[in-house]
Amino acid sequence: DTGVSQDPRHKITKRGQNVTFRCDPISEHNRLYWYRQTLGQGPEFLTYFQNEAQLEKSRLLSDRFSAERPKGSFSTLEIQRTEQGDSAMYLCASTGKTVNTEAFFGQGTRLTVV
Amino acid sequence: DAKTTQPNSMESNEEEPVHLPCNHSTISGTDYIHWYRQLPSQGPEYVIHGLTSNVNNRMASLAIAEDRKSSTLILHRATLRDAAVYYCILRNSGGSNYKLTFGKGTLLTVNP
């Protein structure tokens, strides 16, 4: 296992278009997290899955954002009707079932809305 | 979540030790102190964590004050590859959600 994978690494889209990002966590990890990071800021929590259940959503996750984790494996994050303010790095992380000592992060998807 | 305070930036020379401070005066008894770092164009990477006692691992050491209101991440010999943003984060031991609340961190510059 090579760690948490995110696809694509970069995405440029026009305002108003929909975009979808994918995250493949470490295979034995049942917990998955999405974060958003803008320039000069630390990552901000968006949402958390335990297996296929979405257990927590931040107020940052507006109605235009939706995340899924079918079958408790990979996850997708969709943004509908993108706005320039959505431009950011979107990070995915996963943690295991037992003692949660650390989170493993992917390299992120950088979204630019033009 | 309890808040942490870190300097915005620090500078070090290669092969010298680096001490990165973090203040967390409102820490609760069940809060663990976690450190992550983020290299340019990468996702954050776990460095070390502790509760009360000082901790060492292959990457760094964590020194925790006796009253737990501050801690220091120690890189024993900085290399150019240690140039990154270092985040000090408090995480409560309760619950299964490993949500992390990041601040702005400390940008470490390492001079050759």
Side-chain angles (χ1 to χ4, degrees):
Chain A
D1 197 343
T2 55
V4 178
S5 299
Q6 292 189 245
D7 184 68
R9 291 290 311 278
H10 302 274
K11 178 72 177 179
I12 300 173
T13 191
K14 291 184 179 178
R15 192 173 49 187
Q17 298 293 307
N18 299 344
V19 293
T20 300
F21 310 139
R22 177 181 170 121
C23 171
D24 286 273
I26 292 173
S27 56
E28 62 267 27
H29 284 182
N30 67 333
R31 295 180 176 87
L32 185 147
Y33 311 78
W34 285 98
Y35 290 81
R36 180 174 69 185
Q37 185 174 25
T38 53
L39 205 60
Q41 305 295 317
E44 296 172 292
F45 170 79
L46 291 178
T47 190
Y48 157 61
F49 288 86
Q50 184 169 323
N51 299 312
E52 65 276 7
Q54 188 173 19
L55 298 184
E56 185 173 348
K57 290 197 293 186
S58 162
R59 283 175 291 181
L60 291 174
L61 215 63
S62 76
D63 291 345
R64 297 183 298 103
F65 287 70
S66 63
E68 293 182 340
R69 193 182 181 201
K71 302 177 185 177
S73 55
F74 71 91
S75 175
T76 58
L77 178 68
E78 181 183 16
I79 309 174
Q80 296 183 324
R81 305 181 303 281
T82 52
E83 302 172 356
Q84 285 190 316
D86 297 331
S87 296
M89 174 78 84
Y90 290 85
L91 293 159
C92 176
S94 69
T95 61
K97 289 183 181 179
T98 52
V99 177
N100 292 327
T101 57
E102 62 181 289
F104 294 83
F105 283 81
Q107 292 189 304
T109 294
R110 179 163 297 284
L111 173 67
T112 303
V113 182
V114 298
Chain B
D1 294 321
K3 189 176 170 58
T4 63
T5 304
Q6 299 178 252
N8 290 333
S9 62
M10 289 186 67
E11 206 166 320
S12 172
N13 296 320
E14 202 174 6
E15 298 188 5
E16 290 183 357
V18 182
H19 291 234
L20 296 164
C22 181
N23 288 320
H24 29 78
S25 58
T26 60
I27 191 170
S28 75
T30 52
D31 284 336
Y32 279 78
I33 302 158
H34 289 248
W35 284 82
Y36 280 74
R37 72 180 185 180
Q38 188 171 22
L39 280 64
S41 302
Q42 301 288 320
E45 172 188 34
Y46 169 82
V47 177
I48 200 166
H49 79 285
L51 183 62
T52 55
S53 304
N54 294 345
V55 185
N56 299 297
N57 67 19
R58 63 174 180 82
M59 287 181 72
S61 295
L62 176 59
I64 302 172
E66 202 168 325
D67 64 5
R68 300 209 325 126
K69 293 186 177 181
S70 66
S71 60
T72 302
L73 179 71
I74 302 165
L75 307 179
H76 295 286
R77 286 182 73 231
T79 70
L80 296 178
R81 288 175 294 179
D82 291 322
V85 178
Y86 286 78
Y87 297 99
C88 170
I89 301 166
L90 300 183
R91 180 184 173 259
N92 196 280
S93 59
S96 62
N97 182 347
Y98 193 79
K99 177 176 70 175
L100 296 169
T101 302
F102 290 82
K104 290 189 177 182
T106 297
L107 174 63
L108 176 66
T109 302
V110 180
N111 300 314

